[in-house]
Structures are given as C-alpha cells and as structure tokens.
C-alpha cells in the first residue's frame, strides 16, 4: 500500500524483483541530477516528483520509493486511476501471465485503457463515492463514456471545467509520447486528481464583490501542533520509542499503485484529527456548478452580474492534475510506444465526447 511520511511525501513500498528494482531504476534515470536528455527532462513534468528511497528505522531492509503526494494541495480530492495501453503485460510475460491479463479485461486491446478505480466527492451530499477495478472491468464500449463521466460529476452537475482541463493535460502527455522512441510503458497508469469542492466564491449582496473562498481543514495533534490533513492518506506518526506506525491509505493506495498486496503486515494507528470550519455571516456562497433551482430568487440577479459579465481572464481554470504512475514494466525501446499512444487517443476521444454531450 501507500503510506505518508511526516514531511508530506508518500511512500510506495518497493515490489519484489524484478518489478521493484525496475521501477526504482526508471525513477533514478529520469531524475538523475546529471540528466541532460530533453526527452527525460520533459517527462518529469508528467510524473510525481521523486525524492529517492526511504527505509523505516525499525525495518532497514524494507525499501520505499519516496514520491510527491499529488493530492496534497487539494481539500476534497477526487481521484481516478486509468491504466493505459493495449497490453497490460510486458514483452517478457509468460503465456500464463498473458492469458491471465487478457481474461481480466478483453476490451483493453480494443480501446486501449481500463478504469482501475475512482473516488469522487459529491458536494451535494458531502460524501465520497468509491468504485474499484471491478467497476472498470464491467464497462463496455457502449457504457465507458457514461462510466468515466461519473468521475466528473459533483452531485449537482457535470464538472465540464475539469473535463476540459483533463483533456488538455492528457494531450500534453500524448505529445510527449509522439515525440519519443526511448521507452515503452506497460501496465502503467494515469492518475487524475481534481478539487471536488467546487471553485467556491463569495458574493456580498451589498456591492457584489467577488472573492475566492477556500477553506483548508486542519488537523490538531494532541500536543497542539497543527498538521495539514489529507482526505485520502493518513499520516505516519513517530512515537516516543522511535517506532514507526502507519495507517495504510484506503483511498490513494488503490489508485497510486498497481500492486494490491501489502508486502508487510504491521500494526497501524490513525491520528485523531479535529476539523474546525468557520462560516462568515451574511455571505452567500455559490459556485460555477450551482444550478438555478438551487438559488434564491433574490440572489440570482446579483450572481448574474458576476458570472455573466466577469472578464474572461479573471475566471480561474479548474484545479486538475494528471500524472503518469506505476513504472514496474517500463522497457528501453527504439520505436514509438504505439499501444500507449492508441490508449491515450481513445481516452481523449471519450473525454471529448463527455464534454461535447
């Protein structure tokens, strides 16, 4: 699973050979301080940042990849993991392994991607909906568009701003693949993350001024220290005796790493976190995805002045991240990665159809 280090990074335990060492070698190559390859330098933009490896003091033989927590800056992160490519097995896979992978999702070769899971925050109910890999395997060519569109729905409406921003980011990754012949990726994924609490604004009825209202919940530790709280990952806590206790993420772990089996069984503890929220009086809160039936008739004219007459350049684009993850099956190549390119193009087509319809 995925753990979180006190410094805010995440820890992905190294898989058994050859997968784990291969993934570590990939990160070392891309993030080599002496790297001057423009292809690899650009690739860094599409990966979580890599901070080397880490081992807990009590288990020095356990090795973890230390990676950026892509969800850290979000208040209510929505997460989706999509495996990309026509083959989810690498060129060295056994016949048994190939058959096993193909039987899991025969449609992979035809459409080039598979939804491994999603976790969506519904603003309407202030709750999360989670779907696992079985949800993705049930999707067909006819239902895949609707299946993926669930990820972009807030409970009030379809977040078209997020869909549009996601398309732009996937297109940038596609451009990179179109221009490189060094690496081929198998069983690798795209991690989609966006802010589930709609881009909130405050509208004062007296003068219709517009200001962003963002609330980041804080967790208060027992000793009074303030700790940022992430909705997906629990924080590992250094206890007095130096022993590291961790709580395995029930959210991000299913999306950040393809390996589903925990490599070790430990006692996990969860920090008790207290969330304090304050509301301003006489402030109407709304967002770009609230519909007319949710508005009081007296407020609507004021909102129209803001949203219909705001200069386009002042409208903030959606807060979205799309990163490539899972590199246990990356191999050197001298040709384009046609399988990955095929999957990206089909995924973009589906996202565009969601946006257009």
């Amino acid at each position: 699973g995925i753990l979180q280090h006190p410094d805010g990074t995440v820890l992905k335990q190294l898989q058994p050979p050859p997968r784990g060492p291969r993934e570590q070698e990939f990160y070392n190559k891309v993030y080599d301080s002496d790297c001057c390859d423009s292809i690899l330098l650009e690739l860094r933009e599409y990966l979580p940042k890599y901070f080397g490896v880490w081992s807990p003091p009590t288990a020095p033989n356990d090795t973890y990849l230390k990676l950026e927590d892509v969800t850290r800056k979000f208040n209510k992160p929505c997460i989706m993991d999509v495996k990309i490519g026509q083959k989810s097995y690498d060129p060295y896979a056994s016949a048994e392994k190939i058959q096993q992978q193909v039987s899991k999702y025969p449609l992979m070769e035809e459409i080039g991607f598979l939804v491994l899971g999603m976790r969506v925050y519904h603003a309407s109910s202030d709750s999360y909906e989670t779907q696992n890999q079985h949800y993705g395997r049930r999707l067909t060519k006819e239902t895949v568009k609707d299946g993926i569109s669930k990820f972009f729905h807030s409970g009030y409406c379809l977040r078209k701003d997020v869909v549009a921003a996601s398309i732009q980011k996937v297109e940038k990754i596609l451009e990179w693949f179109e221009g490189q012949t060094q690496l081929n990726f198998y069983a690798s994924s795209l991690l989609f993350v966006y802010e589930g609490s709609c881009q909130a604004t405050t509208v004062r009825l007296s003068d219709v001024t517009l200001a962003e209202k963002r609330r980041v919940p804080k967790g208060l530790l027992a000793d009074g220290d303030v700790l940022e709280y992430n909705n997906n990952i629990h924080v590992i806590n250094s206890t007095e005796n130096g022993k590291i206790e961790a709580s395995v993420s029930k959210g991000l772990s299913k999306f950040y790493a393809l390996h589903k089996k925990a490599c070790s069984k430990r006692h996990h503890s969860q920090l008790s976190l207290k969330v304090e929220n304050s509301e301003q009086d006489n402030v109407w809160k709304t967002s770009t995805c609230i519909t007319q039936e949710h508005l009081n008739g007296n407020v609507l004219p004021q909102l129209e002045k803001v949203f219909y007459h705001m200069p386009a350049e002042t409208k903030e684009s959606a807060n979205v991240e799309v990163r490539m993850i899972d590199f246990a099956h990356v191999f050197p190549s001298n040709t384009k990665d046609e399988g990955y390119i095929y999957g990206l193009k089909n995924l973009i087509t589906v996202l565009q159809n969601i946006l257009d319809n």
Side-chain angles (χ1 to χ4, degrees):
I2 296 293
L3 309 179
Q4 187 170 28
H5 193 277
D7 65 8
T9 59
V10 292
L11 304 170
K12 177 181 179 181
Q13 189 160 31
L14 210 63
Q15 299 177 72
R19 292 172 297 167
R22 189 187 296 132
E23 184 165 31
Q24 182 181 354
E25 182 183 358
F26 168 81
Y27 275 113
N28 286 338
K29 180 178 181 179
V30 175
Y31 283 93
D32 189 330
S33 58
D34 296 326
C35 178
C36 56
D37 185 329
S38 60
I39 295 294
L40 297 183
L41 291 175
E42 183 186 349
L43 178 59
R44 294 179 184 180
E45 299 177 27
Y46 313 122
L47 311 182
K49 292 182 179 65
Y50 173 61
F51 301 100
V53 295
W54 179 89
S55 296
T58 55
N61 293 327
D62 290 350
T63 304
Y64 293 82
L65 299 174
K66 204 163 184 282
L67 302 168
E68 173 190 8
D69 176 7
V70 181
T71 72
R72 183 175 174 81
K73 67 180 181 180
F74 296 93
N75 180 17
K76 299 290 186 181
C78 298
I79 306 169
M80 178 171 65
D81 182 18
V82 183
K83 186 186 289 188
I84 305 292
Q86 290 179 282
K87 297 177 180 178
S88 57
Y89 52 88
D90 65 49
Y92 301 98
S94 64
E96 182 182 4
K97 178 69 172 180
I98 293 173
Q99 180 58 37
Q100 178 196 47
Q101 290 297 312
V102 171
S103 63
K104 282 183 178 179
Y105 194 62
L107 200 59
M108 187 85 177
E109 186 171 356
E110 187 173 351
I111 67 174
F113 63 87
L114 165 63
V115 176
L116 288 180
M118 64 176 68
R119 186 168 185 259
V120 190
Y121 174 73
H122 289 162
S124 58
S125 59
D126 189 26
S127 62
Y128 278 95
E129 176 186 355
T130 302
Q131 301 289 353
N132 61 22
Q133 55 188 313
H134 299 291
Y135 171 83
R137 290 177 192 167
R138 289 195 298 267
L139 298 178
T140 65
K141 283 196 301 181
E142 291 73 30
T143 63
V144 69
K145 179 174 78 73
D146 291 337
I148 290 180
S149 69
K150 284 174 68 83
F151 175 64
F152 299 102
H153 207 284
S154 69
Y156 286 121
C157 69
L158 181 71
R159 291 289 304 275
K160 286 198 168 189
D161 58 329
V162 176
V163 181
S166 298
I167 291 172
Q168 291 179 350
K169 290 184 178 291
V170 177
E171 285 177 339
K172 290 292 293 181
I173 295 174
L174 175 59
E175 286 179 18
W176 182 84
F177 271 91
E178 293 278 19
Q180 72 91 22
T181 56
Q182 294 186 32
L183 299 168
N184 278 6
F185 295 72
Y186 302 90
S188 185
S189 291
L190 290 184
L191 185 75
F192 291 76
V193 188
Y194 73 89
E195 181 54 65
S197 55
C198 298
Q199 295 295 336
T201 60
T202 63
V203 180
R204 297 185 183 277
L205 300 185
S206 57
D207 54 5
V208 201
T209 58
L210 178 70
E212 270 210 323
K213 178 180 176 66
R214 286 181 179 169
R215 292 178 295 140
V216 181
K218 298 287 183 180
L220 300 180
L221 298 181
D223 58 6
D225 292 333
V226 177
L227 175 72
E228 289 188 5
Y229 180 60
N230 183 292
N231 291 279
N232 295 294
I233 316 171
H234 302 300
V235 180
I236 65 176
N237 178 25
S238 299
T239 55
E240 291 180 356
N241 62 4
K243 189 176 181 180
I244 302 295
E245 295 181 341
S247 179
V248 177
S249 159
K250 295 183 183 298
L252 189 59
S253 62
K254 293 185 179 180
F255 308 111
Y256 214 129
L258 285 175
H259 60 289
K260 304 299 179 190
K261 295 181 179 179
C263 298
S264 63
K265 295 182 179 179
R266 296 196 182 99
H267 173 69
H268 300 300
S269 66
Q270 179 175 336
L271 296 179
S272 176
L273 298 168
K274 179 181 178 183
V275 177
E276 294 184 350
N277 294 324
S278 62
E279 297 290 349
Q280 297 181 9
D281 293 333
N282 301 322
V283 175
W284 290 91
K285 293 187 301 175
T286 184
S287 75
T288 53
C289 61
I290 268 189
T291 52
Q292 183 168 347
E293 60 264 30
H294 296 102
L295 298 175
N296 181 294
N298 296 325
V299 182
L300 185 57
Q302 307 296 336
L303 297 178
E304 288 176 339
K305 291 180 183 179
V306 175
F307 290 110
Y308 289 104
H309 302 289
M310 274 175 58
E313 61 270 14
T314 66
K315 298 177 183 177
E316 184 177 343
S317 59
N319 194 359
V320 178
E321 291 286 354
V322 179
R323 305 288 185 94
M324 298 169 59
I325 59 171
D326 297 327
F327 306 111
H329 302 277
V330 179
F331 296 91
S333 175
N334 56 10
T335 61
K336 286 186 180 182
D337 191 341
E338 297 294 351
Y340 204 106
I341 290 173
Y342 179 84
L344 288 177
K345 287 182 175 179
N346 279 351
L347 180 58
I348 290 171
T349 298
V350 171
L351 293 175
Q352 193 63 54
N353 286 339
I354 293 172
L355 188 63
D356 294 342
N357 295 332

